[in-house]
Amino acid sequence: MFVAILKEARPDETRVALTPDGVKALAAKGATVAVESGAGLHSGASDADYQAAGATISTSRDELLASADVVPVVNALPTADQQKLKSGSVMIGFLRPLDEPAALEAAIQRGATLFSMELVPRITRAQSMDALSSMATVAGYKAVILAADHLPKLFPLLMTAAGTIPPAKVLVLGAGVAGLQAIATARRLGAVVEAYDVRAAAGEQVKSLGAKFLEVDLGGLQTEDKGGYAKELSPEALELGRQAIARAALFADVVITTAQVPGRRAPLMIPAAAVNDMRPGSIIMDLAAPAGGNCELTQPGQTIDYRGVTIFGPLNIAAEMPVHASMLYSRNLSNFLQLILKNGELKIDRADEIIAGSCVAFGGEIVNERVAAALKASA
Ligand code: NAD
């Protein structure tokens, strides 16, 4: 199996799909790995590091595309690259198959097999391949660091000879992987933290991190699906949450929002009216910006000032921590790749639950019904 690691094409991308440690793990299983020169530079890995791990270095992207059996990526290759893929090769990464299925068509026409890291089922055996959780961990941490940097206040309680500085108040909306990491980070910096989630199970986790859980009585409504994810809520239930959030936001210095419902637009949790009532100098860090945002005023990809409240809508926050984001992602990917690598050869067992769940296309045929429907809808 010949694996090629390319420089990411997306302009704001700093991560790399496989680090030198990932190369070592694959080489130990008999794979041959080549790296496009400079692919790891932003993530702290030089060409020499890759060579020391057993990879060869190439300056010809086209040659790599034309000869690779497997191309692990962070983001899907651009169309022009997909057209140069060897027929029947494998591309694996954050392919956004439900959001942008049309952007994968050129690879599918080349007869490619596509695996989406977003679709890896969240079963116990796949935990070491859970790239969404890895990136959410990095994002939750970085969101707090960015907010603390921008806030015109200190985070911790300080008692000085000149008087006492009260701790910053942080409100976290959505207590999944990113939200819990944000809570832990804000607590470590000394903030007082409050959090909200529709899943009752999140309440215990929030409290165990030393934060207060914002209780909202949804009248016993079932808010979780079988997989433990939040369901899309009724307008009435969403409104109850919004009212409680608006009350808590009045006192917050920083609001970090992470609420998402897989496959849907992010729920609207902070209407413009609630921002009107927030204190000037406060901050909203909207991690749901890639899915439309949890705040009505968020502009994805931009930072805006609304009556003194700064609203951040980062689209690729994990890329702002490329060394550790790449390290985690590379481990997730190399664990996945071990599933399709047998005695140094590519061998795809389509009966495997992880492979079946994450496979978008096999040999140029779309095999995921939701992706087929999304492609039809986008046509
Ligand atoms: P996510 O990114 O899809 O959503 C983030 C959070 O937003 C979730 O906690 C969700 O409940 C919350 N949310 C959605 N709509 C909301 C609304 N209207 N109001 C308030 N909150 C809302 O979720 P995630 O972080 O990827 O994880 C979700 C769940 O999956 C968690 O229970 C997590 O522990 C679990 N999980 C399991 C595994 C596993 O391997 N078994 C791995 C990762 C996560």
Side-chain angles (χ1 to χ4, degrees):
M1 182 165 102
F2 179 51
V3 180
I5 304 162
L6 302 170
K7 275 194 224 168
E8 288 292 316
R10 184 173 153 165
D12 67 349
E13 193 52 77
T14 55
R15 293 167 292 178
V16 66
L18 277 184
T19 62
D21 278 347
V23 170
K24 263 190 216 156
L26 289 186
K29 295 276 178 186
T32 313
V33 186
V35 178
E36 184 179 7
S37 179
L41 285 183
H42 294 298
S43 347
S46 65
D47 289 353
D49 294 329
Y50 278 108
Q51 277 172 318
T56 55
I57 305 296
S58 168
T59 51
S60 172
R61 187 177 179 92
D62 286 357
E63 256 175 48
L64 291 176
L65 286 164
S67 52
D69 300 310
V70 177
V71 184
V73 293
V74 180
N75 308 286
L77 292 171
T79 299
D81 283 343
Q82 290 180 26
Q83 287 164 342
K84 296 173 189 157
L85 282 171
K86 184 169 100 174
S87 171
S89 58
V90 173
M91 172 165 69
I92 167 166
F94 285 128
L95 304 187
R96 299 172 52 80
L98 297 171
D99 308 292
E100 288 183 288
L104 302 173
E105 271 182 316
I108 293 169
Q109 277 163 16
R110 294 291 297 158
T113 293
L114 306 178
F115 292 107
S116 153
M117 290 306 276
E118 296 94 329
L119 298 183
V120 169
R122 277 175 150 178
I123 55 173
T124 308
R125 188 165 61 90
Q127 268 181 357
S128 65
M129 306 165 205
D130 185 354
L132 283 181
S133 286
S134 296
M135 297 306 109
T137 300
V138 174
Y141 169 86
K142 184 68 179 181
V144 175
I145 300 301
L146 286 174
D149 185 34
H150 196 82
L151 191 71
K153 287 184 170 185
L154 298 170
F155 257 45
L157 174 132
L158 288 184
M159 289 186 186
T160 79
T164 299
I165 294 178
K169 290 199 173 70
V170 175
L171 174 64
V172 176
L173 305 179
V177 181
L180 291 172
Q181 188 56 237
I183 294 169
T185 306
R187 292 280 302 139
R188 279 185 215 118
L189 287 178
V192 169
V193 184
E194 198 168 15
Y196 172 64
D197 200 293
V198 280
R199 292 178 302 110
E204 284 312 309
Q205 292 167 329
V206 165
K207 288 179 204 159
S208 74
L209 290 170
K212 189 176 156 205
F213 190 62
L214 199 60
E215 305 281 352
V216 177
D217 184 1
L218 297 178
L221 188 79
Q222 178 61 35
T223 55
E224 266 180 55
D225 67 14
K226 287 199 298 287
Y229 279 112
K231 282 185 174 174
E232 196 167 29
L233 296 186
S234 65
E236 296 75 27
L238 264 176
E239 185 50 31
L240 284 172
R242 278 198 285 263
Q243 287 168 9
I245 290 162
R247 284 192 295 276
L250 282 175
F251 306 102
D253 297 303
V254 173
V255 184
I256 293 179
T257 76
T258 74
Q260 307 226 32
V261 178
R264 299 256 185 272
R265 191 209 178 282
L268 181 58
M269 302 173 81
I270 311 177
V275 185
N276 276 336
D277 294 339
M278 285 176 67
R279 275 198 299 249
S282 52
I283 289 174
I284 298 175
M285 182 67 65
D286 194 342
L287 294 193
N294 291 139
C295 173
E296 187 179 355
L297 298 170
T298 296
Q299 295 192 14
Q302 291 185 36
T303 301
I304 60 162
D305 182 315
Y306 179 81
R307 300 167 70 146
V309 178
T310 311
I311 306 174
F312 292 81
L315 289 178
N316 196 7
I317 197 164
E320 296 189 35
M321 291 257 127
V323 171
H324 280 146
S326 300
M327 188 192 94
L328 295 174
Y329 185 63
S330 168
R331 286 194 188 153
N332 297 141
L333 264 189
S334 68
N335 288 330
F336 185 97
L337 290 170
Q338 311 277 348
L339 284 181
I340 58 169
L341 175 60
K342 298 273 157 19
N343 303 322
E345 300 295 323
L346 178 64
K347 199 158 185 308
I348 300 175
D349 172 10
R350 292 184 63 196
D352 182 295
E353 188 181 358
I354 300 171
I355 290 182
S358 56
C359 190
V360 170
F362 188 82
E365 296 285 326
I366 298 179
V367 294
N368 180 300
E369 283 172 21
R370 286 164 69 207
V371 176
L375 194 59
K376 218 167 162 189
S378 74

